[in-house]
Amino acid sequence: MEASALLSLISCLVVPSGAGVLGRCVVAQKLHEGGLSDFEGYSLENWVCLAYFESKFNPVAVYENLRESYTGFGLFQIRNPDWCDKGKNLCHVSCSALLNPNLNKTIECAKTIVKGKEGMGAWPSWTLNCQNSDTLARWLDGCKL
């Protein structure tokens, strides 16, 4: 039993940490194509900033917060208690669909979230790292959109 547990741990360590991570400009392009540029008044720079601070541009990231009883899914770490099928499902999407690198379902769900009363403030990481930042332009620096 100990050997299988050790083997399982080693296999987790061998997986490249960058597996599935998208480049900043790729993320910017996909979000732009998905209609997030100036969506609900938020610039594309805000969305790219949010994606970085939520998932480090990893569209298949899953984060389980046991203390607060939620799991975050995908590029924007969309939480299951409200937005996907393991909760209220206000986005009418399965949580696993938020893990697709094409980002279509993720973008549609993000649009639903940002239309709410909190706007992008629904993501505490945006409020802490992106809102009112005077360096947002750097998120698109060098990207050809």
Side-chain angles (χ1 to χ4, degrees), residues 93-123:
V93 65
S94 70
C95 296
S96 62
L98 299 172
L99 302 177
N100 191 323
N102 75 22
L103 303 180
N104 294 337
K105 298 288 185 184
T106 297
I107 290 169
E108 291 310 309
C109 187
K111 286 177 177 180
T112 299
I113 295 168
V114 83
K115 285 179 185 177
K117 64 180 178 183
E118 294 179 87
M120 286 190 91
W123 288 275

Side-chain angles (χ1 to χ4, degrees), residues 39-54:
F39 186 80
E40 293 291 311
Y42 295 100
S43 68
L44 184 59
E45 292 90 339
N46 275 286
W47 290 102
V48 177
C49 179
L50 174 65
Y52 176 79
F53 285 105
E54 284 295 328

Side-chain angles (χ1 to χ4, degrees), residues 18-137:
V21 175
L22 301 175
R24 176 178 51 85
C25 291
V26 171
V27 169
Q29 184 66 44
K30 287 179 177 271
L31 299 181
H32 176 71
E33 289 170 358
L36 287 179
S37 295
D38 298 315
F39 186 80
E40 293 291 311
Y42 295 100
S43 68
L44 184 59
E45 292 90 339
N46 275 286
W47 290 102
V48 177
C49 179
L50 174 65
Y52 176 79
F53 285 105
E54 284 295 328
S55 69
K56 304 293 188 266
F57 302 137
N58 184 351
V60 297
V62 177
Y63 172 72
E64 190 169 355
N65 185 323
L66 297 175
R67 190 172 54 104
E68 296 183 31
S69 300
Y70 73 83
T71 303
F73 295 88
L75 190 72
F76 296 128
Q77 288 298 283
I78 294 170
R79 297 178 180 190
N80 63 334
D82 292 320
W83 304 107
C84 59
D85 66 350
K86 294 183 179 23
K88 295 177 187 171
N89 202 4
L90 298 174
C91 283
H92 308 291
V93 65
S94 70
C95 296
S96 62
L98 299 172
L99 302 177
N100 191 323
N102 75 22
L103 303 180
N104 294 337
K105 298 288 185 184
T106 297
I107 290 169
E108 291 310 309
C109 187
K111 286 177 177 180
T112 299
I113 295 168
V114 83
K115 285 179 185 177
K117 64 180 178 183
E118 294 179 87
M120 286 190 91
W123 288 275
S125 66
W126 176 81
T127 304
L128 290 170
N129 301 292
C130 309
Q131 183 181 27
N132 302 320
S133 172
D134 56 3
T135 61
L136 278 178

